[in-house]
């Protein structure tokens, strides 16, 4: 796993959200962009994280941030996750793992004694110039907004 670091240029990504809309890095030049990668839509930790960000969404907007969630789930699963939890930000359906690999968040994981490859819950804060300003690899799902907006 080769995760990007603070000071790196963010990948010039293109991703498609739950509604089929395309999002590119250049779309966010006038804002700071939070790209949060999560393992699987509608699982307990991912739901807690997304809802915590939702509950603080006005704070992000007022501080000139945009948010993008990314997982390898299908558009349909992302749409159900978004609708069920009333999430106000786009969710990228990265089934081919282009963004996941570009940001370096795919790799070996352990859960309940088993090893497997998967998405590491990681958040990147990208400044208005496309430079990674912060990388949060130890995401606290119940306090994630505070980690980002410190």
């Amino acid at each position: 796993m080769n995760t990007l670091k603070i000071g790196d240029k963010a990948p010039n990504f293109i991703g498609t959200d739950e509604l089929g809309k395309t999002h590119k890095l250049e779309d966010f030049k006038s804002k700071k962009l939070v790209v949060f990668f999560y393992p699987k839509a509608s699982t307990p930790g991912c739901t807690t994280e997304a809802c915590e960000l939702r509950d603080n969404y006005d704070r992000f907007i007022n501080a000139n941030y945009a948010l993008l969630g990314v997982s390898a789930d299908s558009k349909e699963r992302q749409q159900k996750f978004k609708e069920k939890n009333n999430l106000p930000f786009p969710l990228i359906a990265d089934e081919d793992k282009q963004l996941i690999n570009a940001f370096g968040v795919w790799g070996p994981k352990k859960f309940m004694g088993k090893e497997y490859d998967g998405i590491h819950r990681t958040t990147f804060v990208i400044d208005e110039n496309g430079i990674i300003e912060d990388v949060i690899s130890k995401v606290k799902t119940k306090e994630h907004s505070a980690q980002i907006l410190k």
Side-chain angles (χ1 to χ4, degrees):
M1 199 170 82
N2 190 16
T3 304
L4 296 170
K5 297 177 276 319
I6 293 171
D8 287 347
K9 183 146 183 58
N12 192 14
F13 67 82
I14 297 175
T16 305
D17 71 15
E18 76 288 348
L19 298 174
K21 182 178 179 198
T22 301
H23 299 271
K24 302 176 281 202
L25 178 62
E26 64 189 47
D27 296 340
F28 301 97
K29 282 189 176 178
S30 63
K31 298 177 182 280
K32 289 188 178 193
L33 176 62
V34 175
V35 181
F36 66 100
F37 290 88
Y38 55 95
K40 194 169 185 79
S42 298
T43 56
C46 297
T47 300
T48 299
E49 177 184 15
C51 290
E52 199 278 338
L53 294 171
R54 174 203 65 203
D55 293 348
N56 288 282
Y57 189 65
D58 286 345
R59 290 178 60 204
F60 286 102
I61 296 304
N62 291 335
N64 201 35
Y65 284 80
L67 281 80
L68 273 182
V70 182
S71 76
D73 293 302
S74 67
K75 286 192 316 187
E76 295 78 20
R77 187 172 174 106
Q78 295 284 48
Q79 188 169 11
K80 286 179 187 172
F81 183 48
K82 182 173 181 165
E83 288 173 1
K84 180 179 180 183
N85 296 290
N86 198 26
L87 303 176
F89 38 78
L91 301 176
I92 302 295
D94 193 24
E95 291 183 272
D96 60 7
K97 300 180 187 73
Q98 284 190 352
L99 269 79
I100 292 163
N101 288 320
F103 279 82
V105 297
W106 182 264
K109 296 174 71 168
K110 277 187 182 180
F111 184 68
M112 295 179 69
K114 293 186 179 186
E115 285 195 34
Y116 61 97
D117 283 342
I119 298 170
H120 289 255
R121 187 184 310 278
T122 309
T123 297
F124 297 86
V125 180
I126 303 167
D127 73 12
E128 298 87 345
N129 299 310
I131 303 300
I132 296 174
E133 189 174 271
D134 198 6
V135 178
I136 303 167
S137 57
K138 292 186 180 1
V139 172
K140 296 177 182 172
T141 59
K142 294 178 182 176
E143 304 167 25
H144 199 31
S145 296
Q147 288 181 289
I148 297 166
L149 295 169
K150 50 188 169 208

